[in-house]
Amino acid sequence: MFRLLARLKGSWLRIILLAALTLAGVYSDLYLPSLMARIINDGITGGDQRLILLTGAEMLLFALLGVLCAVSSGILSSQVSMGFGRDLRGAVFRKTAALSLTEFESFGTATLITRTTNDINQVQMFITMAFTSSPSLSRVVLLSVPALVVTVVAVSSVALPLSGTIQRSVDRVNRILREKLTGLRVERAFGTEEYEEQRFDGANRDLTAVSIRMHRTMSVLMPALTLIMSFTQISLVWSGAVQIDAGNLLVGDMMAVIQYVMQIMMSLMMFTMIFVMAPRAVASARRLNDVLEAPEAIADPLSPAPDTGLRGTVEFRDVSLTYQGAEKPVLEGISFTARPGETTAIIGSTGSGKSTLVNLIPRFFDATGGAVLVDGVDVRQLEQKQLRDKIGFVPQKALLFRGTIRENIAYGKPTATDLEILEAAQTAQALDFIQQKPGGLEAPVAQLGQNFSGGQKQRLSIARALVRKPEIYIFDDSFSALDAKTDAALRAALKRTTQDATVLIVAQKVSTILDADRIIVLDGGGCVGMGTHRELLQSCPVYQEIVYSQMPAEEVGA
């Protein structure tokens, strides 16, 4: 928690002012009972009306001061806590964006969403309560240390572990809910609604059970502390009554003592509220620190390499990749060079490492052996933005963002003109269906592009890469949802548009890569063949098997 609170450094001026206002409010609260005692002891008892009026006016001024301090403290504490939440959300968002795919997957989407929303809210609420109540807490701690220590230690020993369990249960509920919402069509197609309801119900019941245990534990705290303070108050009243009867204590002094005790009890209530929130805030802070302090495997070099003057050359030098904890490499001993004006295709069976191979170029992963070079420089010696500005990447799963068609195509080049956008759409064979949409380029795109077919999403993703006019194009199985006619037209258009760039295509369909200048055949993470279509038909059994499984012998063209 303290490491997280160190991020409040930008709010120290507000915090100092908040402390001053709160101390002024505390002084006002402490001084009022003594003024009341003066009115009772000297004014009422002595019949001094002038003293009563003057002291009453003084009490009104101090009460007004207390109100102003309380209002100002509330505003400032809200500004500090909300600003802290804003900065923390920004920090987690930026950190998440900087994580490599391996690190990202180690956390998971559901838990990162929970940590960015629910966990930050827990810490933010705790800070709001702590800043507005800290002076009151000091009085409680000074006057009731023994009872507080025993109660706090006893409750926290149970509450802290439960808080961590609650946050993990929230993660699980979010994950199942996210899977249900994104996989709704699959669920309905297979008639698994009952199974999904049972799965969600199980996670929901677990969260409810843990939350109930947590609240049962915390429910002991307030009655216990209230009982302690009630006995204190009763003892003070009884003792004061005895002393008043003996003539050793004035009634006003007794009333002042009762007021002080009431202030302590109110402070104790605030302390209890904060302590109820503290275990979840601590658990949330730990989870946020896990994200913020996660090591960044993919980082920019301290001294980026200078520009070599080359444009679009991609070279793999004996590249290997082994995931942490894996028994064997995903890729091993891959070497080839892709040059501008050439099309390099990568094909292989499912799980052979095709997508992983091209993901090494924009540094979604880093090779654990060998080197990947772009324009003659190891990608690890280039700034990530500098490297990725050279690349137009079309992912295996076409992803569109909520907005308009124009915004999605211009995503990689916000300054793109209408002419550039339309040219990219035409090359991607997307112009026809765009023009048929009401509004054309301004037609709305739903979240994840759910109002477009798979083939339309792929073509819009291709247009998004084309509009950048990069040095290197990477198409990661980006034509799988296209019919044969559209596929052929798209490949012909791409050949004209990308003739001066380096093109890498990951493909499942042989028909997509027949005209490639170089075909790399992967099997089990290794390169088992490299050459043109005709050369591989003569020399590579794995390629032959793939080709003959997809095409009749008379169309193979060996």
PDB file of all heavy atoms in Angstrom, residues 111-138:
ATOM      1  N   THR A 111      -8.661 -10.311 -15.294  1.00  0.00           N
ATOM      2  CA  THR A 111      -8.070  -9.767 -14.065  1.00  0.00           C
ATOM      3  C   THR A 111      -7.516  -8.372 -14.293  1.00  0.00           C
ATOM      4  O   THR A 111      -7.551  -7.525 -13.399  1.00  0.00           O
ATOM      5  CB  THR A 111      -6.983 -10.707 -13.515  1.00  0.00           C
ATOM      6  OG1 THR A 111      -6.522 -10.190 -12.258  1.00  0.00           O
ATOM      7  CG2 THR A 111      -5.784 -10.791 -14.438  1.00  0.00           C
ATOM      8  N   LEU A 112      -6.996  -8.073 -15.501  1.00  0.00           N
ATOM      9  CA  LEU A 112      -6.497  -6.728 -15.773  1.00  0.00           C
ATOM     10  C   LEU A 112      -7.636  -5.717 -15.771  1.00  0.00           C
ATOM     11  O   LEU A 112      -7.477  -4.587 -15.304  1.00  0.00           O
ATOM     12  CB  LEU A 112      -5.756  -6.699 -17.114  1.00  0.00           C
ATOM     13  CG  LEU A 112      -4.368  -7.353 -17.096  1.00  0.00           C
ATOM     14  CD1 LEU A 112      -3.805  -7.437 -18.501  1.00  0.00           C
ATOM     15  CD2 LEU A 112      -3.408  -6.575 -16.194  1.00  0.00           C
ATOM     16  N   ILE A 113      -8.798  -6.119 -16.283  1.00  0.00           N
ATOM     17  CA  ILE A 113      -9.967  -5.235 -16.242  1.00  0.00           C
ATOM     18  C   ILE A 113     -10.394  -4.999 -14.793  1.00  0.00           C
ATOM     19  O   ILE A 113     -10.669  -3.865 -14.386  1.00  0.00           O
ATOM     20  CB  ILE A 113     -11.123  -5.837 -17.056  1.00  0.00           C
ATOM     21  CG1 ILE A 113     -10.785  -5.830 -18.556  1.00  0.00           C
ATOM     22  CG2 ILE A 113     -12.421  -5.058 -16.814  1.00  0.00           C
ATOM     23  CD1 ILE A 113     -11.785  -6.548 -19.415  1.00  0.00           C
ATOM     24  N   THR A 114     -10.421  -6.064 -13.997  1.00  0.00           N
ATOM     25  CA  THR A 114     -10.805  -5.933 -12.582  1.00  0.00           C
ATOM     26  C   THR A 114      -9.830  -5.028 -11.841  1.00  0.00           C
ATOM     27  O   THR A 114     -10.232  -4.171 -11.052  1.00  0.00           O
ATOM     28  CB  THR A 114     -10.843  -7.311 -11.909  1.00  0.00           C
ATOM     29  OG1 THR A 114     -11.723  -8.170 -12.632  1.00  0.00           O
ATOM     30  CG2 THR A 114     -11.341  -7.200 -10.475  1.00  0.00           C
ATOM     31  N   ARG A 115      -8.548  -5.209 -12.090  1.00  0.00           N
ATOM     32  CA  ARG A 115      -7.539  -4.411 -11.391  1.00  0.00           C
ATOM     33  C   ARG A 115      -7.614  -2.938 -11.793  1.00  0.00           C
ATOM     34  O   ARG A 115      -7.372  -2.056 -10.971  1.00  0.00           O
ATOM     35  CB  ARG A 115      -6.143  -4.968 -11.676  1.00  0.00           C
ATOM     36  CG  ARG A 115      -5.941  -6.360 -11.104  1.00  0.00           C
ATOM     37  CD  ARG A 115      -4.566  -6.920 -11.426  1.00  0.00           C
ATOM     38  NE  ARG A 115      -4.549  -8.376 -11.272  1.00  0.00           N
ATOM     39  CZ  ARG A 115      -3.573  -9.051 -10.697  1.00  0.00           C
ATOM     40  NH1 ARG A 115      -2.539  -8.436 -10.207  1.00  0.00           N
ATOM     41  NH2 ARG A 115      -3.640 -10.365 -10.598  1.00  0.00           N
ATOM     42  N   THR A 116      -7.950  -2.670 -13.055  1.00  0.00           N
ATOM     43  CA  THR A 116      -8.022  -1.293 -13.521  1.00  0.00           C
ATOM     44  C   THR A 116      -9.285  -0.591 -13.037  1.00  0.00           C
ATOM     45  O   THR A 116      -9.315   0.637 -12.975  1.00  0.00           O
ATOM     46  CB  THR A 116      -7.967  -1.255 -15.063  1.00  0.00           C
ATOM     47  OG1 THR A 116      -6.872  -2.049 -15.522  1.00  0.00           O
ATOM     48  CG2 THR A 116      -7.781   0.163 -15.574  1.00  0.00           C
ATOM     49  N   THR A 117     -10.313  -1.326 -12.689  1.00  0.00           N
ATOM     50  CA  THR A 117     -11.576  -0.711 -12.257  1.00  0.00           C
ATOM     51  C   THR A 117     -11.825  -0.959 -10.776  1.00  0.00           C
ATOM     52  O   THR A 117     -11.655  -0.070  -9.943  1.00  0.00           O
ATOM     53  CB  THR A 117     -12.741  -1.268 -13.102  1.00  0.00           C
ATOM     54  OG1 THR A 117     -12.729  -2.711 -13.062  1.00  0.00           O
ATOM     55  CG2 THR A 117     -12.612  -0.815 -14.546  1.00  0.00           C
ATOM     56  N   ASN A 118     -12.191  -2.173 -10.420  1.00  0.00           N
ATOM     57  CA  ASN A 118     -12.596  -2.489  -9.049  1.00  0.00           C
ATOM     58  C   ASN A 118     -11.475  -2.241  -8.045  1.00  0.00           C
ATOM     59  O   ASN A 118     -11.692  -1.630  -6.986  1.00  0.00           O
ATOM     60  CB  ASN A 118     -13.080  -3.935  -8.989  1.00  0.00           C
ATOM     61  CG  ASN A 118     -13.573  -4.335  -7.619  1.00  0.00           C
ATOM     62  OD1 ASN A 118     -12.788  -4.737  -6.768  1.00  0.00           O
ATOM     63  ND2 ASN A 118     -14.870  -4.227  -7.390  1.00  0.00           N
ATOM     64  N   ASP A 119     -10.269  -2.718  -8.333  1.00  0.00           N
ATOM     65  CA  ASP A 119      -9.169  -2.585  -7.368  1.00  0.00           C
ATOM     66  C   ASP A 119      -8.802  -1.121  -7.137  1.00  0.00           C
ATOM     67  O   ASP A 119      -8.558  -0.703  -6.001  1.00  0.00           O
ATOM     68  CB  ASP A 119      -7.946  -3.369  -7.860  1.00  0.00           C
ATOM     69  CG  ASP A 119      -8.126  -4.868  -7.702  1.00  0.00           C
ATOM     70  OD1 ASP A 119      -9.045  -5.269  -6.972  1.00  0.00           O
ATOM     71  OD2 ASP A 119      -7.371  -5.637  -8.307  1.00  0.00           O
ATOM     72  N   ILE A 120      -8.752  -0.338  -8.216  1.00  0.00           N
ATOM     73  CA  ILE A 120      -8.426   1.081  -8.061  1.00  0.00           C
ATOM     74  C   ILE A 120      -9.518   1.796  -7.274  1.00  0.00           C
ATOM     75  O   ILE A 120      -9.237   2.668  -6.441  1.00  0.00           O
ATOM     76  CB  ILE A 120      -8.206   1.729  -9.436  1.00  0.00           C
ATOM     77  CG1 ILE A 120      -6.902   1.198 -10.048  1.00  0.00           C
ATOM     78  CG2 ILE A 120      -8.151   3.252  -9.327  1.00  0.00           C
ATOM     79  CD1 ILE A 120      -6.582   1.728 -11.418  1.00  0.00           C
ATOM     80  N   ASN A 121     -10.784   1.427  -7.492  1.00  0.00           N
ATOM     81  CA  ASN A 121     -11.877   2.032  -6.729  1.00  0.00           C
ATOM     82  C   ASN A 121     -11.735   1.748  -5.234  1.00  0.00           C
ATOM     83  O   ASN A 121     -12.006   2.614  -4.394  1.00  0.00           O
ATOM     84  CB  ASN A 121     -13.226   1.503  -7.220  1.00  0.00           C
ATOM     85  CG  ASN A 121     -13.624   2.091  -8.558  1.00  0.00           C
ATOM     86  OD1 ASN A 121     -13.104   3.127  -8.954  1.00  0.00           O
ATOM     87  ND2 ASN A 121     -14.509   1.425  -9.258  1.00  0.00           N
ATOM     88  N   GLN A 122     -11.311   0.511  -4.892  1.00  0.00           N
ATOM     89  CA  GLN A 122     -11.130   0.161  -3.481  1.00  0.00           C
ATOM     90  C   GLN A 122     -10.065   1.046  -2.828  1.00  0.00           C
ATOM     91  O   GLN A 122     -10.260   1.579  -1.729  1.00  0.00           O
ATOM     92  CB  GLN A 122     -10.730  -1.316  -3.349  1.00  0.00           C
ATOM     93  CG  GLN A 122     -11.787  -2.312  -3.791  1.00  0.00           C
ATOM     94  CD  GLN A 122     -13.011  -2.314  -2.901  1.00  0.00           C
ATOM     95  OE1 GLN A 122     -12.920  -2.007  -1.717  1.00  0.00           O
ATOM     96  NE2 GLN A 122     -14.150  -2.657  -3.471  1.00  0.00           N
ATOM     97  N   VAL A 123      -8.934   1.209  -3.506  1.00  0.00           N
ATOM     98  CA  VAL A 123      -7.847   2.036  -2.962  1.00  0.00           C
ATOM     99  C   VAL A 123      -8.280   3.498  -2.900  1.00  0.00           C
ATOM    100  O   VAL A 123      -8.009   4.207  -1.926  1.00  0.00           O
ATOM    101  CB  VAL A 123      -6.579   1.881  -3.829  1.00  0.00           C
ATOM    102  CG1 VAL A 123      -5.471   2.804  -3.338  1.00  0.00           C
ATOM    103  CG2 VAL A 123      -6.091   0.433  -3.800  1.00  0.00           C
ATOM    104  N   GLN A 124      -8.968   3.954  -3.930  1.00  0.00           N
ATOM    105  CA  GLN A 124      -9.418   5.348  -4.010  1.00  0.00           C
ATOM    106  C   GLN A 124     -10.377   5.680  -2.871  1.00  0.00           C
ATOM    107  O   GLN A 124     -10.254   6.725  -2.224  1.00  0.00           O
ATOM    108  CB  GLN A 124     -10.096   5.547  -5.360  1.00  0.00           C
ATOM    109  CG  GLN A 124     -10.432   6.981  -5.702  1.00  0.00           C
ATOM    110  CD  GLN A 124     -10.927   7.073  -7.128  1.00  0.00           C
ATOM    111  OE1 GLN A 124     -10.172   7.025  -8.075  1.00  0.00           O
ATOM    112  NE2 GLN A 124     -12.222   7.201  -7.278  1.00  0.00           N
ATOM    113  N   MET A 125     -11.334   4.792  -2.598  1.00  0.00           N
ATOM    114  CA  MET A 125     -12.292   5.012  -1.503  1.00  0.00           C
ATOM    115  C   MET A 125     -11.583   5.038  -0.154  1.00  0.00           C
ATOM    116  O   MET A 125     -11.908   5.834   0.732  1.00  0.00           O
ATOM    117  CB  MET A 125     -13.354   3.919  -1.526  1.00  0.00           C
ATOM    118  CG  MET A 125     -14.327   4.028  -2.695  1.00  0.00           C
ATOM    119  SD  MET A 125     -15.340   2.544  -2.884  1.00  0.00           S
ATOM    120  CE  MET A 125     -16.176   2.499  -1.298  1.00  0.00           C
ATOM    121  N   PHE A 126     -10.584   4.158  -0.012  1.00  0.00           N
ATOM    122  CA  PHE A 126      -9.840   4.107   1.248  1.00  0.00           C
ATOM    123  C   PHE A 126      -9.100   5.427   1.483  1.00  0.00           C
ATOM    124  O   PHE A 126      -9.096   5.959   2.595  1.00  0.00           O
ATOM    125  CB  PHE A 126      -8.852   2.942   1.221  1.00  0.00           C
ATOM    126  CG  PHE A 126      -7.976   2.869   2.438  1.00  0.00           C
ATOM    127  CD1 PHE A 126      -8.461   2.376   3.631  1.00  0.00           C
ATOM    128  CD2 PHE A 126      -6.661   3.314   2.390  1.00  0.00           C
ATOM    129  CE1 PHE A 126      -7.660   2.323   4.758  1.00  0.00           C
ATOM    130  CE2 PHE A 126      -5.853   3.260   3.502  1.00  0.00           C
ATOM    131  CZ  PHE A 126      -6.352   2.765   4.697  1.00  0.00           C
ATOM    132  N   ILE A 127      -8.493   5.977   0.425  1.00  0.00           N
ATOM    133  CA  ILE A 127      -7.756   7.232   0.563  1.00  0.00           C
ATOM    134  C   ILE A 127      -8.702   8.369   0.931  1.00  0.00           C
ATOM    135  O   ILE A 127      -8.396   9.207   1.780  1.00  0.00           O
ATOM    136  CB  ILE A 127      -7.002   7.549  -0.749  1.00  0.00           C
ATOM    137  CG1 ILE A 127      -5.845   6.570  -0.917  1.00  0.00           C
ATOM    138  CG2 ILE A 127      -6.475   8.978  -0.755  1.00  0.00           C
ATOM    139  CD1 ILE A 127      -5.139   6.685  -2.232  1.00  0.00           C
ATOM    140  N   THR A 128      -9.878   8.412   0.296  1.00  0.00           N
ATOM    141  CA  THR A 128     -10.869   9.448   0.624  1.00  0.00           C
ATOM    142  C   THR A 128     -11.223   9.411   2.101  1.00  0.00           C
ATOM    143  O   THR A 128     -11.228  10.441   2.784  1.00  0.00           O
ATOM    144  CB  THR A 128     -12.137   9.255  -0.226  1.00  0.00           C
ATOM    145  OG1 THR A 128     -11.796   9.293  -1.615  1.00  0.00           O
ATOM    146  CG2 THR A 128     -13.147  10.345   0.070  1.00  0.00           C
ATOM    147  N   MET A 129     -11.525   8.217   2.619  1.00  0.00           N
ATOM    148  CA  MET A 129     -11.903   8.079   4.023  1.00  0.00           C
ATOM    149  C   MET A 129     -10.724   8.406   4.945  1.00  0.00           C
ATOM    150  O   MET A 129     -10.894   9.080   5.966  1.00  0.00           O
ATOM    151  CB  MET A 129     -12.387   6.658   4.291  1.00  0.00           C
ATOM    152  CG  MET A 129     -13.698   6.306   3.611  1.00  0.00           C
ATOM    153  SD  MET A 129     -15.071   7.322   4.188  1.00  0.00           S
ATOM    154  CE  MET A 129     -15.130   6.818   5.914  1.00  0.00           C
ATOM    155  N   ALA A 130      -9.532   7.968   4.569  1.00  0.00           N
ATOM    156  CA  ALA A 130      -8.366   8.181   5.438  1.00  0.00           C
ATOM    157  C   ALA A 130      -8.022   9.653   5.554  1.00  0.00           C
ATOM    158  O   ALA A 130      -7.712  10.160   6.643  1.00  0.00           O
ATOM    159  CB  ALA A 130      -7.181   7.398   4.891  1.00  0.00           C
ATOM    160  N   PHE A 131      -8.081  10.385   4.428  1.00  0.00           N
ATOM    161  CA  PHE A 131      -7.729  11.796   4.471  1.00  0.00           C
ATOM    162  C   PHE A 131      -8.743  12.621   5.251  1.00  0.00           C
ATOM    163  O   PHE A 131      -8.393  13.596   5.906  1.00  0.00           O
ATOM    164  CB  PHE A 131      -7.611  12.366   3.053  1.00  0.00           C
ATOM    165  CG  PHE A 131      -6.273  12.110   2.427  1.00  0.00           C
ATOM    166  CD1 PHE A 131      -6.191  11.730   1.100  1.00  0.00           C
ATOM    167  CD2 PHE A 131      -5.109  12.244   3.150  1.00  0.00           C
ATOM    168  CE1 PHE A 131      -4.960  11.489   0.511  1.00  0.00           C
ATOM    169  CE2 PHE A 131      -3.878  12.007   2.576  1.00  0.00           C
ATOM    170  CZ  PHE A 131      -3.800  11.630   1.256  1.00  0.00           C
ATOM    171  N   THR A 132     -10.000  12.255   5.175  1.00  0.00           N
ATOM    172  CA  THR A 132     -11.023  13.036   5.878  1.00  0.00           C
ATOM    173  C   THR A 132     -11.129  12.657   7.343  1.00  0.00           C
ATOM    174  O   THR A 132     -11.770  13.362   8.112  1.00  0.00           O
ATOM    175  CB  THR A 132     -12.400  12.843   5.224  1.00  0.00           C
ATOM    176  OG1 THR A 132     -12.702  11.450   5.163  1.00  0.00           O
ATOM    177  CG2 THR A 132     -12.415  13.433   3.829  1.00  0.00           C
ATOM    178  N   SER A 133     -10.512  11.556   7.751  1.00  0.00           N
ATOM    179  CA  SER A 133     -10.707  11.072   9.123  1.00  0.00           C
ATOM    180  C   SER A 133      -9.410  10.932   9.918  1.00  0.00           C
ATOM    181  O   SER A 133      -9.460  10.608  11.085  1.00  0.00           O
ATOM    182  CB  SER A 133     -11.394   9.701   9.083  1.00  0.00           C
ATOM    183  OG  SER A 133     -12.535   9.743   8.278  1.00  0.00           O
ATOM    184  N   SER A 134      -8.266  11.186   9.319  1.00  0.00           N
ATOM    185  CA  SER A 134      -7.007  10.874   9.990  1.00  0.00           C
ATOM    186  C   SER A 134      -6.810  11.608  11.315  1.00  0.00           C
ATOM    187  O   SER A 134      -6.350  11.001  12.277  1.00  0.00           O
ATOM    188  CB  SER A 134      -5.823  11.157   9.055  1.00  0.00           C
ATOM    189  OG  SER A 134      -5.861  12.492   8.589  1.00  0.00           O
ATOM    190  N   PRO A 135      -7.165  12.929  11.448  1.00  0.00           N
ATOM    191  CA  PRO A 135      -6.984  13.559  12.758  1.00  0.00           C
ATOM    192  C   PRO A 135      -7.865  12.927  13.824  1.00  0.00           C
ATOM    193  O   PRO A 135      -7.465  12.766  14.973  1.00  0.00           O
ATOM    194  CB  PRO A 135      -7.392  15.015  12.487  1.00  0.00           C
ATOM    195  CG  PRO A 135      -7.204  15.195  11.022  1.00  0.00           C
ATOM    196  CD  PRO A 135      -7.591  13.872  10.431  1.00  0.00           C
ATOM    197  N   SER A 136      -9.098  12.575  13.457  1.00  0.00           N
ATOM    198  CA  SER A 136      -9.974  11.907  14.426  1.00  0.00           C
ATOM    199  C   SER A 136      -9.377  10.584  14.862  1.00  0.00           C
ATOM    200  O   SER A 136      -9.463  10.192  16.024  1.00  0.00           O
ATOM    201  CB  SER A 136     -11.351  11.681  13.804  1.00  0.00           C
ATOM    202  OG  SER A 136     -11.933  12.907  13.433  1.00  0.00           O
ATOM    203  N   LEU A 137      -8.765   9.894  13.915  1.00  0.00           N
ATOM    204  CA  LEU A 137      -8.148   8.612  14.259  1.00  0.00           C
ATOM    205  C   LEU A 137      -7.054   8.793  15.304  1.00  0.00           C
ATOM    206  O   LEU A 137      -6.873   7.944  16.175  1.00  0.00           O
ATOM    207  CB  LEU A 137      -7.548   7.967  13.009  1.00  0.00           C
ATOM    208  CG  LEU A 137      -8.517   7.583  11.896  1.00  0.00           C
ATOM    209  CD1 LEU A 137      -7.759   6.902  10.783  1.00  0.00           C
ATOM    210  CD2 LEU A 137      -9.593   6.677  12.420  1.00  0.00           C
ATOM    211  N   SER A 138      -6.318   9.902  15.200  1.00  0.00           N
ATOM    212  CA  SER A 138      -5.214  10.083  16.140  1.00  0.00           C
ATOM    213  C   SER A 138      -5.726  10.165  17.566  1.00  0.00           C
ATOM    214  O   SER A 138      -5.100   9.666  18.499  1.00  0.00           O
ATOM    215  CB  SER A 138      -4.437  11.357  15.779  1.00  0.00           C
ATOM    216  OG  SER A 138      -5.277  12.494  15.915  1.00  0.00           O
TER     217      SER A 138
END
